Amino acid sequence: MGESINRLQVGIVGAGIGGLAAAIALRKAGHAVTVYEKTRWTEEGETRLPLGNGLVLGPNAGRILRDWGFDFDQAGCTPVLQERVFDGQTMQLLKHLDFKYIKEDHGLDWLEVRRSRLADGLLHILHEQDRNSSLPPFTLQTGAPITSIDPASGTLTLSSPHPPCHHDLLILASGVHTPLPLLHTINPSIPPLHPSRTAFRFEIPNFYSRLSSSSSSPSLSTLFSPSPSNPPGFTIFLLPSQSIFFILALADSSPSPTAFGLLLHPSISPTPPSLAGHWDVLASRASLRQLTQAFHPLVRELVELAEAPPVRWTISARDPIRSCVSGKAVLVGDACHPHLPHHGQGAASAIEDAAALGVFFSSSPANHNHDIGQSAREGVEETLKRYEEFRLPRAATVQLISTEFPKGRGELEGRIRGEGEEGIGYKGSLPGSFESHGREVLGWFFGWDVRGEAEAVVRGEGGE
């Protein structure tokens, strides 16, 4: 392509889901990309981040990944086709939701995937892009912690012995635990994280095989064995009076997939400050046994099937912010709008951020109604402001619905529509109900075409 005046040198902080997605989108848009990851990786071709938990991807993100060439089968994505909610003591079925309609309505299933395999799939796309000589270069620099940024000049300062790096565009995709001083260089009003709940995560590899060896095998097999009438999905055991939730979902699609378990319990103590920000704080199996004592024996049996000790994880959030850009820098993903795991839109929102940035910074004349003859470097700050005006209100609204759950539309709409300090200023449509996993709110999430809406705005045709 050559050093076109419209090619930017893009620096991305963080090689998680949002950072790698942004690298794909900006590279496809015609820009050279360098990703800085503080973790030192020891093998080529795969991410080395401590990202072992499962997550869900809605069709709003899945369509973007599909168009980028993501291999869903290689990543072991498992469709989420139902949700069953049981009383955790009596095993009475309290609620059942059928999600088979999602593919019919939105073109793809709702999917469960191991976070690290999603990241590996994104990295694979970037390596495949290397084979296309017409694309600008991609560089991944690991073991490179960022100590400060200067949004005005586009300068990243790395820890010694790395020299400072200068970029035309800086994207901070460094996750929910991005240090507050780093965030404040972009928006000094960003509040600290507040811990929401602390949970235990655990895995049961070769789930169906382990079921067959369980002492409660017949009952557990009846509950989980796959069949047309019992497809994969979410299984939730709850103790409503105690606000305790035990959630199981399947990923690593195979003849015997991995089951990902999550226990949300109000009595779990917060993660010590010295361990804040770590994904892999080991807990004891004994403590997990103690916390599940009130559950039915079948639920407690699932704890015994776990292969390794559980991991303690503090789920944190913050209130939506009013600005995510400064100078040549922008926040994306959990660094910008951290979610709680109520609606399954955290990873999808990061991918949508990346896709929208790709549209706004596309060098294609078809996407612009203004003079693109000026150097793209001269227009970065203006373009970021247009991106923020388009993207942040929708992203912040999705975040608020997640973090304030179970509050409904009646309680949140004033804040969503508001324009003041406490308002988000979102002018688009809203679902009538915000009920978690309800068809109406899922349709609102899954039907959103962030690229189509962004392209309309860039062409001057408005958006939603």
Side-chain angles (χ1 to χ4, degrees), residues 36-40 140-147 155-165:
Y36 300 91
E37 169 54 45
K38 66 180 180 181
T39 306
R40 188 176 299 279
L140 175 61
Q141 189 168 335
T142 63
I146 304 299
T147 59
T155 302
L156 291 172
T157 303
L158 287 73
S159 61
S160 179
H162 304 285
C165 301

Side-chain angles (χ1 to χ4, degrees), residues 88-107:
Q89 290 180 318
T90 67
M91 297 300 289
Q92 177 187 357
L93 182 64
L94 303 177
K95 183 172 72 170
H96 179 263
L97 297 175
D98 188 335
F99 294 140
K100 297 186 187 74
Y101 72 87
I102 291 175
K103 187 172 183 179
E104 298 173 6
D105 288 358
H106 303 290

Side-chain angles (χ1 to χ4, degrees), residues 24 78 347 401 430:
I24 293 169
T78 301
I401 291 172
L430 287 171

Side-chain angles (χ1 to χ4, degrees), residues 169-410:
L169 170 63
L170 295 178
I171 300 173
L172 264 70
S174 38
V176 64
H177 293 291
T178 301
L180 203 57
L182 204 59
L183 296 176
H184 282 172
T185 61
I186 294 179
N187 178 351
S189 300
I190 293 178
L193 286 171
H194 55 82
S196 171
R197 303 185 78 172
T198 300
F200 277 130
R201 293 187 285 113
F202 62 94
E203 296 181 20
I204 308 174
N206 301 311
F207 182 56
Y208 297 138
S209 299
R210 287 178 178 267
L211 280 182
S212 66
S213 64
S214 166
S215 61
S216 302
S217 176
S219 298
L220 283 177
S221 294
T222 300
L223 191 61
F224 289 105
S225 290
S227 69
S229 61
N230 189 26
F234 302 126
T235 302
I236 302 171
F237 307 96
L238 61 85
L239 303 180
S241 62
Q242 302 177 51
S243 298
I244 303 173
F245 299 83
F246 187 109
I247 305 166
L248 206 73
L250 302 181
D252 293 348
S253 183
S254 70
S256 191
T258 298
F260 290 94
L262 177 67
L263 176 70
L264 296 169
H265 196 299
S267 72
I268 302 175
S269 59
T271 301
S274 61
L275 297 177
H278 290 255
W279 288 82
D280 52 353
V281 180
L282 288 178
S284 69
R285 199 187 301 267
S287 58
L288 186 54
R289 289 190 186 112
Q290 182 178 4
L291 291 169
T292 54
Q293 280 183 342
F295 281 92
H296 189 279
L298 282 180
V299 182
R300 298 201 303 271
E301 184 71 22
L302 290 170
V303 173
E304 301 305 318
L305 295 179
E307 183 177 61
V311 173
R312 190 166 68 181
W313 170 42
T314 297
I315 306 169
S316 300
R318 63 166 49 94
D319 291 335
I321 59 177
R322 293 287 292 171
S323 177
C324 64
V325 305
S326 176
K328 301 176 180 180
V330 58
L331 300 171
V332 301
D334 281 351
C336 180
H337 40 71
H339 288 225
L340 296 179
H342 293 137
H343 294 82
Q345 282 294 298
S349 288
I351 292 168
E352 287 181 331
D353 291 347
L357 280 170
V359 171
F360 275 84
F361 282 95
S362 173
S363 57
S364 169
N367 283 336
H368 297 266
N369 71 340
H370 59 281
D371 179 14
I372 65 165
Q374 75 169 25
S375 166
R377 295 179 180 86
E378 298 173 11
V380 165
E381 296 187 24
E382 176 189 350
T383 303
L384 280 179
K385 290 184 182 301
R386 297 174 71 214
Y387 162 83
E388 178 186 63
E389 182 179 352
F390 162 76
R391 177 63 188 147
L392 188 56
R394 167 83 186 197
T397 298
V398 174
Q399 176 193 8
L400 187 71
I401 291 172
S402 161
T403 57
E404 293 294 326
F405 180 79
K407 292 181 180 178
R409 177 169 174 169

